[in-house]
């Protein structure tokens, strides 16, 4: 069989794959399917800008600060606007929420609302844009809880256990979209020549033997004793595993994706360095919970150091949470060492 025939034989676009997944739900209305299409389209549009970031006058800061008090990059703004504009008029959503917007994002009155809620970090790893390091988008989809009308904050502040779908886009050496609707984790690689996401990583599962640990060791002096002991345990050969290598790129999506494929643990623990961020830096609603949903679908586990991330009921839209995410054995070890060293401290 020629390469071309072989290639064409394997051509499964994300649209076709999502549709096939929908067929497993006879009662499905197709709204979630179309919402996932919209997100894939937004990913292609953002990807087209990230691959030319150095050229398209899109580098550098937008000269404003976001709700996190962080300098907003132009690409952050572009990604935010793209995700918003592709979803504000479709009638699929009751409400949206974004890392870049202080409050919930209502659907404009001139458009109908729908049954779903979209939460997202439009551009994760923004500090890496100008140095050409991989960046990402993270999203989560809930069913609305309120019964009618414009969506409300309670539709967004749901525990990750309620997610119906979640995923991320990784703008790296190639652009990948990885998602789950609760039936496994599936990865698609963008073929820029035809503008299609093609199935490249069906049914991703964390390898049993972990290879990496990912943490910003620059904060080591500010960690609890439990987290210090944990980091030392990860580095050593132990009966459960070989000593792990450190890989940390400072882009959550890139660090998470590498560990998902290679096995390992990513953690951003609480530290005493920044009084403004006592509970770690990562945000629960649109960073930790969607990735926790994915990692459990891939056979792993995500914890705040004491309990499953997916069980945490958000109280505030931008609340931060410490996170340990990856192979279940590694994350449960973190919980054990924190219980042993810190709980009574
Ligand atoms: P964002 O760019 O959306 O604000 O997220 C950045 C996050 C995450 O991507 C990464 O893991 C973390 O910031 C890196 O933080 P440190 O530089 O403190 O390690
Ligand atoms: Mn982020
Ligand atoms: Mn971001």
């Amino acid at each position: 069989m020629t390469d071309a025939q072989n290639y064409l034989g394997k051509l499964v676009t994300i649209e076709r794959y999502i549709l096939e997944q929908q067929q497993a739900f006879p009662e499905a209305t197709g709204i979630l399917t179309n919402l996932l299409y919209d997100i894939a389209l937004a990913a292609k549009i953002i990807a087209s800008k990230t691959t030319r970031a150095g050229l398209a006058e899109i580098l550098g800061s937008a000269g404003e600060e976001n709700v996190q008090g962080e300098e907003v990059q132009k690409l952050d703004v572009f990604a935010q606007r793209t995700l918003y504009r592709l979803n504000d008029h479709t009638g699929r959503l009751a409400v949206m929420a974004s890392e870049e917007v202080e409050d919930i994002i209502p659907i404009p009155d001139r458009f109908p609302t729908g049954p779903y809620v979209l939460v997202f970090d439009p551009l994760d790893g923004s500090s890496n844009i100008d140095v050409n390091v991989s960046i990402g988008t993270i999203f989560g989809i809930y069913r609305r809880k309120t019964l009618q009308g414009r969506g409300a904050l309670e539709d967004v502040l749901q525990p990750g256990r309620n997610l119906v779908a979640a995923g991320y886009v990784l703008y790296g050496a190639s652009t990948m979209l990885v998602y789950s609707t609760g039936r496994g984790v599936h990865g698609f690689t963008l073929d820029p020549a035809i503008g299609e996401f093609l199935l490249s990583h069906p049914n991703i599962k964390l390898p049993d033997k972990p290879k990496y640990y990912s943490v910003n060791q620059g904060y080591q002096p500010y960690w609890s004793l439990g987290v210090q002991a944990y980091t030392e345990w990860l580095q050593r050969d132990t009966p459960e595993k070989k000593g792990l290598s450190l890989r940390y790129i400072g882009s959550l999506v890139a660090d998470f994706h590498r560990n998902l494929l290679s096995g390992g643990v990513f953690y951003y623990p609480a530290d005493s360095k920044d009084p403004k961020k006592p509970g770690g830096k990562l945000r629960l609603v649109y960073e930790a919970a969607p990735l926790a949903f994915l990692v459990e679908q891939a056979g792993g586990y995500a914890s705040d150091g004491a309990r499953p991330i997916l069980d945490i009921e958000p109280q505030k839209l931008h609340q931060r949470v410490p996170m340990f995410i990856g192979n279940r054995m590694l994350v449960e070890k973190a919980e054990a060492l924190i219980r042993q060293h810190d709980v009574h401290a």
Side-chain angles (χ1 to χ4, degrees):
M1 185 182 292
T2 65
D3 282 355
Q5 283 165 326
N6 195 11
Y7 174 77
L8 290 173
K10 282 196 296 231
L11 245 173
V12 177
T13 64
I14 191 167
E15 287 80 5
R16 201 175 108 196
Y17 198 81
I18 293 171
L19 210 49
E20 283 166 6
Q21 287 236 314
Q22 176 198 319
Q23 267 133 24
F25 298 93
E27 74 290 351
T29 60
I31 298 176
L32 179 60
T33 293
N34 288 321
L35 174 49
L36 288 166
Y37 289 173
D38 298 337
I39 293 168
L41 179 57
K44 291 179 200 173
I45 295 170
I46 296 166
S48 72
K49 281 283 190 278
T50 55
T51 47
R52 294 184 293 110
L55 307 170
E57 228 309 277
I58 203 153
L59 279 181
S61 81
E64 56 198 70
E65 270 200 352
N66 66 6
V67 295
Q68 321 288 339
E70 293 156 346
E71 197 177 39
V72 179
Q73 302 292 330
K74 288 177 186 161
L75 208 49
D76 276 318
V77 173
F78 179 80
Q80 165 60 33
R81 288 202 183 125
T82 301
L83 278 159
Y84 174 70
R85 289 200 181 126
L86 264 70
N87 286 288
D88 69 343
H89 61 285
T90 59
R92 302 195 238 282
L93 298 176
V95 64
M96 291 184 250
S98 165
E99 174 191 278
E100 297 302 328
V101 180
E102 173 77 22
D103 296 315
I104 58 171
I105 306 171
I107 300 301
D109 290 342
R110 65 187 182 284
F111 298 131
T113 57
Y116 290 104
V117 177
L118 177 64
V119 299
F120 56 93
D121 175 358
L123 208 82
D124 173 76
S126 316
S127 60
N128 285 316
I129 296 171
D130 292 3
V131 292
N132 199 17
V133 166
S134 302
I135 48 185
T137 294
I138 306 170
F139 66 90
I141 299 169
Y142 293 96
R143 272 192 199 77
R144 71 179 300 176
K145 281 175 68 177
T146 53
L147 297 178
Q148 74 268 324
R150 305 279 120 189
L153 184 59
E154 71 175 283
D155 291 311
V156 171
L157 297 184
Q158 299 190 48
R161 207 60 79 191
N162 293 2
L163 282 162
V164 293
Y168 59 83
V169 187
L170 179 57
Y171 310 100
S174 60
T175 296
M176 277 194 73
L177 193 156
V178 177
Y179 84 91
S180 174
T181 56
R183 292 160 49 82
V185 179
H186 311 289
F188 299 80
T189 300
L190 182 64
D191 180 340
I194 57 173
E196 289 287 1
F197 276 109
L198 302 180
L199 182 65
S200 54
H201 298 69
N203 219 6
I204 300 173
K205 290 290 178 196
L206 272 162
D208 289 337
K209 277 180 67 189
K211 281 179 76 173
Y212 302 120
Y213 76 98
S214 304
V215 69
N216 182 339
Q217 284 198 257
Y219 300 140
Q220 184 136 3
Y222 307 97
W223 292 338
S224 70
L225 290 179
V227 174
Q228 307 236 12
Y230 179 56
T231 304
E232 200 268 336
W233 177 84
L234 289 168
Q235 295 161 346
R236 277 189 291 106
D237 289 358
T238 67
E240 303 94 327
K241 53 117 190 69
K242 288 275 180 218
L244 305 183
S245 292
L246 170 62
R247 288 283 188 287
Y248 188 78
I249 192 171
S251 259
L252 171 59
V253 171
D255 280 319
F256 176 82
H257 182 73
R258 179 198 49 248
N259 292 359
L260 181 68
L261 297 187
S262 307
V265 60
F266 170 99
Y267 51 117
Y268 204 109
D271 62 63
S272 57
K273 180 167 187 177
D274 183 348
K276 284 207 308 292
K277 298 174 190 164
K281 173 180 186 182
L282 299 177
R283 279 61 52 128
L284 172 61
V285 169
Y286 40 77
E287 289 177 318
L291 297 184
F293 177 85
L294 285 172
V295 84
E296 285 207 4
Q297 284 290 317
Y301 174 45
S303 166
D304 67 352
R307 59 186 165 145
I309 291 277
L310 290 180
D311 291 349
I312 302 176
E313 291 264 355
Q315 302 307 311
K316 290 207 177 330
L317 180 51
H318 300 290
Q319 81 183 56
R320 298 173 191 270
V321 67
M323 178 161 75
F324 301 76
I325 186 167
N327 287 71
R328 176 171 285 276
M329 179 273 286
L330 296 179
V331 177
E332 288 177 344
K333 184 69 176 182
E335 293 179 327
L337 288 171
I338 288 169
R339 256 194 317 274
Q340 179 188 338
H341 293 273
D342 299 349
V343 168
H344 312 299

